[in-house]
Amino acid sequence: MKILIEGAYYPISTLQNIFDDPKFYTQNNLEGKIISVGYYHSFEKNELIYMLPKVFMIDDDNSVFGKTKNELLDLDYIKNIKHDLHYNWIRQSSLYFYNSLLEYRKRITDSQIVNKTERFELNTNLGDQEYSYLDLLLSFVNFYKKNKNHILYKHMEYNSNQAKKPKWEKTIRKSLPIFTSNNSPVYVSIRNKKKNINKEEELLTYFFSILKNFNKDHNLNLRIDKSYKIIKGDSFKRLQTNGLSKLRKIKYRYFNDTLKRMYALCEIYFSQTDKSSSKRKREDFISVNNYNLVFEDMIDKLFSDDLNNTQVNDVSLKDLKKNDDGKIIDHIYDYQSLIDTSNIFYIGDSKYYKSNSEAGKLSKYKQFTYAKNIIQFNIDLLNKDKKKAYKKGINYRDKLTEGYNITPNFFIYGYIENKENFDDHLITLKSKLPVKSFHYKERLFDRDTLFVHSYKINFLYVLKAYTNFNSLKTQDFRSEVKSDFRNNFIEFFNNPKNCEFEFYKCKLKTYESIITDNFKILNGKCYITNKEELILAKYTGKTIEEPIKKTILDQFKLINLK
């Protein structure tokens, strides 16, 4: 197995020796830069290659968790890699990573960014699947682990039935038994005078010979019972070329479901190694040149996947993500407003960079544009029919004050700090203070006053969650994180030193005259909640507009958001 990192440079001779096609890298003099993320396997060289995302590159010296590019490029020479805890992250992340590519291909069936070679297809009771070499390897290993006791039992049962006039003294002397739970010995191989050819064992021989070869080539450390006959060396190489014809001669013998699935796996394997087969491939791969789209989908599945088909008033959130100006929002969901119990849209943008990088000015500007587009969408609905908002309980503009509800925004970055942690999301704020955009700094309830918080999330958690989480676990994540995102905004706005605003609630039940008589002073600074409470946001910094008069403030009391 070899590991390369997206965006890293390697000697061009090394890359030419690994890949049969230069589509995975660009050449610059004597070096090549990896431009793809994905999985690759060459049947001629029999090598598994992973091109991991650049988020794994977290160190300034171009190393990954203390391992240099060259060390990751030559993993086959590391002794006992199967048991070395320093390399456990490779085994885990490579499998989750590969599964994430398959999941993305399944979810985005019409996407053109996932390139894949023609794959051998076979309808079996394992399901309709397109098998890559790694698919096949994993299927063999998983099948063996799930069925090894059943297969061994059938093997022992057959051997027992074939025993004619057993010689127990020789059997006990020459064979090692397997002990049951009550310490009773069971002999797998029984010595007798008559040697019977076990035709039923041919399939087991083929299966375990293939498994043994996988075990040797990829350091799987599987323990295969020695009672099975194994074909090795040159004999196995010959079997790879003619195994398909041999296998099909014995197909009629198997009716047991387990053996039929075993037969199907062997048939796929020999179909790929049979040199005379026109379907034989020289390589298989899945590669993505725009991995940011995969990362975006992984985050979206965590945050808002179940909302994509939620439709209200003939509009779904999936449609809402596609703005009229051509921009596409990464993530959007509705959740409790910051100032009352109504709901508001939270708008997110996933950022795919190296672990220690941050978004530039362009990304921040685009995020503010996304928010303005969503505000305008809801205002357009309100203008068409004042009783028909996107959804009951979502309100963006107050008719009396003409103030706009606060729209929360966030960036979310993937990062890796602990290479062993796949189970904790570790979402934290990158900065306590959000990025701010405004036309009038004194007006909080203005449509152009926007804030964006920046978060980072454990990339390994996202990788695992994308393919392993059930709906219940995903929902638990959403409930926790959405509450945290809101609370972080609340904490920011409840600190006047940070946000430069203080919040007041009107003491009077009838407050229309306060607004109409002082509309110019209060424009963009007031908002009426869904509980009919008038909220005032007073700017605490140096103002350029006319300050709010004391006679007005006397009608309000200082509050905290909650």
Side-chain angles (χ1 to χ4, degrees):
M1 180 171 67
K2 298 182 186 299
I3 289 182
L4 299 94
I5 304 296
E6 176 195 14
Y9 287 87
Y10 301 87
I12 196 66
S13 57
T14 300
L15 298 179
Q16 289 173 341
N17 186 53
I18 292 174
F19 299 110
D20 295 330
D21 192 304
K23 58 180 167 285
F24 305 107
Y25 59 89
T26 57
Q27 184 174 352
N28 183 12
N29 295 324
L30 297 179
E31 285 191 318
K33 178 184 177 181
I34 299 298
I35 59 173
S36 294
V37 172
Y39 148 87
Y40 174 86
H41 173 258
S42 169
F43 283 93
E44 299 296 331
K45 302 181 182 73
N46 195 25
E47 286 184 327
L48 286 175
I49 311 296
Y50 292 101
M51 295 163 278
L52 293 184
K54 60 187 176 185
V55 68
F56 281 88
M57 191 77 75
I58 62 174
D59 299 324
D60 295 333
D61 58 352
N62 281 334
S63 63
V64 179
F65 306 128
K67 306 301 177 185
T68 66
K69 294 185 301 180
N70 292 334
E71 285 179 304
L72 296 177
L73 193 58
D74 230 349
L75 292 173
D76 291 337
Y77 287 92
I78 300 175
K79 295 181 179 180
N80 299 321
I81 187 174
K82 179 70 180 178
H83 302 288
D84 192 336
L85 295 179
H86 291 95
Y87 292 93
N88 186 54
W89 68 271
I90 294 176
R91 296 187 291 274
Q92 285 186 280
S93 59
S94 58
L95 181 56
Y96 289 136
F97 168 66
Y98 176 73
N99 287 338
S100 74
L101 295 176
L102 298 183
E103 175 71 6
Y104 182 72
R105 185 182 62 180
K106 182 178 70 175
R107 284 168 57 84
I108 317 294
T109 55
D110 60 345
S111 175
Q112 298 300 312
I113 71 165
V114 176
N115 306 306
K116 59 181 183 298
T117 56
E118 180 182 358
R119 296 170 186 277
F120 181 78
E121 295 185 16
L122 178 67
N123 292 327
T124 72
N125 55 6
L126 292 174
D128 297 336
Q129 298 186 27
E130 295 178 315
Y131 275 88
S132 69
Y133 177 83
L134 185 58
D135 290 327
L136 194 55
L137 186 155
L138 295 174
S139 294
F140 264 83
V141 173
N142 291 335
F143 179 84
Y144 171 65
K145 289 181 176 180
K146 290 180 180 179
N147 298 282
K148 61 182 179 181
N149 291 334
H150 175 74
I151 296 170
L152 182 60
Y153 173 77
K154 290 291 184 182
H155 176 63
M156 292 162 49
E157 182 183 51
Y158 184 86
N159 283 350
S160 297
N161 292 336
Q162 291 297 307
K164 304 294 183 180
K165 297 181 180 180
K167 301 187 70 172
W168 289 110
E169 291 182 2
K170 192 173 183 180
T171 297
I172 294 172
R173 189 170 66 252
K174 296 287 187 178
S175 304
L176 290 175
I178 297 174
F179 287 91
T180 64
S181 58
N182 59 359
N183 289 326
S184 298
V186 177
Y187 287 90
V188 177
S189 178
I190 300 174
R191 306 283 177 161
N192 60 346
K193 290 182 179 181
K194 185 178 180 179
K195 299 295 182 181
N196 293 301
I197 299 175
N198 186 358
K199 295 181 180 180
E200 297 289 337
E201 288 290 289
E202 285 186 62
L203 179 60
L204 294 180
T205 296
Y206 296 152
F207 177 85
F208 282 104
S209 297
I210 296 169
L211 190 65
K212 184 78 172 180
N213 190 64
F214 280 142
N215 198 29
K216 176 178 68 70
D217 287 346
H218 303 292
N219 298 310
L220 303 178
N221 199 38
L222 295 174
R223 294 184 179 182
I224 301 174
D225 193 275
K226 294 182 179 179
S227 65
Y228 298 114
K229 181 182 177 181
I230 303 294
I231 302 173
K232 305 177 183 177
D234 292 338
S235 298
F236 182 77
K237 291 181 180 179
R238 288 193 294 271
L239 180 65
Q240 287 179 306
T241 61
N242 60 18
L244 192 58
S245 60
K246 287 190 172 191
L247 189 68
R248 287 174 176 170
K249 290 178 182 179
I250 62 173
K251 182 177 182 179
Y252 67 93
R253 299 177 183 172
Y254 307 105
F255 301 97
N256 177 279
D257 285 343
T258 301
L259 295 181
K260 285 166 70 176
R261 291 197 298 272
M262 182 187 292
Y263 178 93
L265 286 174
C266 292
E267 186 175 38
I268 297 172
Y269 178 84
F270 288 133
S271 296
Q272 291 187 343
T273 60
D274 187 352
K275 293 183 178 179
S276 65
S277 173
S278 60
K279 296 181 180 179
R280 182 174 182 265
K281 301 185 296 294
R282 294 174 60 241
E283 63 182 10
D284 60 65
F285 63 88
I286 301 176
S287 67
V288 181
N289 288 344
N290 303 74
Y291 192 74
N292 60 298
L293 299 181
V294 183
F295 179 66
E296 173 189 324
D297 192 60
M298 289 195 291
I299 295 293
D300 205 45
K301 187 177 180 182
L302 266 177
F303 276 87
S304 56
D305 182 64
D306 63 339
L307 299 176
N308 281 347
N309 296 318
T310 302
Q311 188 160 316
V312 181
N313 293 330
D314 301 322
V315 179
S316 72
L317 277 182
K318 190 173 184 180
D319 298 325
L320 192 56
K321 292 176 70 172
K322 298 179 180 179
N323 296 169
D324 290 339
D325 61 0
K327 293 182 174 62
I328 300 176
I329 296 174
D330 285 359
H331 320 292
I332 183 170
Y333 61 86
D334 62 286
Y335 193 67
Q336 185 179 346
S337 166
L338 303 181
I339 58 174
D340 58 24
T341 58
S342 67
N343 275 21
I344 200 76
F345 284 119
Y346 288 65
I347 305 166
D349 192 18
S350 51
K351 293 300 173 189
Y352 173 65
Y353 300 126
K354 289 185 179 180
S355 282
N356 295 322
S357 301
E358 290 196 20
K361 291 183 179 179
L362 179 60
S363 293
K364 295 172 183 176
Y365 177 81
K366 285 167 59 179
Q367 185 63 20
F368 292 130
T369 304
Y370 295 154
K372 291 175 183 178
N373 286 344
I374 294 300
I375 293 172
Q376 187 60 51
F377 170 85
N378 284 274
I379 297 304
D380 288 344
L381 283 180
L382 185 65
N383 290 337
K384 289 178 183 178
D385 185 344
K386 298 186 183 301
K387 296 180 180 179
K388 186 178 179 182
Y390 168 77
K391 186 178 178 181
K392 185 177 181 181
I394 291 183
N395 190 22
Y396 269 81
R397 187 177 67 192
D398 170 42
K399 180 181 177 181
L400 181 61
T401 66
E402 296 186 9
Y404 287 81
N405 204 340
I406 303 171
T407 298
N409 297 267
F410 62 91
F411 289 135
I412 187 157
Y413 300 76
Y415 80 110
I416 304 175
E417 285 187 356
N418 181 357
K419 59 182 180 292
E420 304 291 339
N421 192 342
F422 291 80
D423 299 312
D424 301 305
H425 59 70
L426 303 178
I427 291 181
T428 55
L429 281 166
K430 287 175 70 72
S431 173
K432 290 185 178 180
L433 300 181
V435 179
K436 182 180 178 182
S437 175
F438 56 87
H439 282 182
Y440 303 96
K441 63 180 181 179
E442 294 95 341
R443 304 181 188 181
L444 177 62
F445 298 117
D446 184 86
R447 64 178 296 158
D448 293 311
T449 301
L450 299 165
F451 300 86
V452 183
H453 263 141
S454 294
Y455 292 90
K456 56 182 183 177
I457 185 171
N458 179 10
F459 178 79
L460 298 180
Y461 174 88
V462 176
L463 202 59
K464 181 178 180 179
Y466 193 50
T467 56
N468 283 48
F469 277 17
N470 56 35
S471 58
L472 183 61
K473 192 166 185 179
T474 301
Q475 191 57 50
D476 289 342
F477 166 86
R478 289 174 186 161
S479 299
E480 176 189 350
V481 172
K482 289 176 182 180
S483 175
D484 288 344
F485 280 15
R486 181 181 185 274
N487 289 337
N488 287 332
F489 267 110
I490 294 296
E491 184 178 349
F492 165 72
F493 282 115
N494 280 336
N495 187 335
K497 291 183 180 179
N498 291 337
C499 74
E500 297 185 301
F501 285 100
E502 289 178 339
F503 291 88
Y504 295 81
K505 183 172 73 173
C506 186
K507 302 175 185 176
L508 307 176
K509 291 184 179 181
T510 305
Y511 42 68
E512 286 81 358
S513 60
I514 296 177
I515 298 170
T516 55
D517 294 345
N518 304 279
F519 186 81
K520 186 175 180 180
I521 295 176
L522 297 180
N523 185 24
K525 302 168 187 175
C526 285
Y527 188 84
I528 298 176
T529 71
N530 64 334
K531 293 184 177 181
E532 302 298 325
E533 296 174 335
L534 177 62
I535 302 296
L536 169 67
K538 177 180 176 294
Y539 185 68
T540 59
K542 186 176 180 181
T543 64
I544 58 176
E545 295 186 331
E546 183 179 351
I548 300 174
K549 300 175 183 178
K550 184 177 183 301
T551 54
I552 297 175
L553 280 179
D554 287 342
Q555 309 301 316
F556 291 80
K557 64 178 180 179
L558 188 66
I559 62 168
N560 276 335
L561 300 182
K562 58 184 179 179

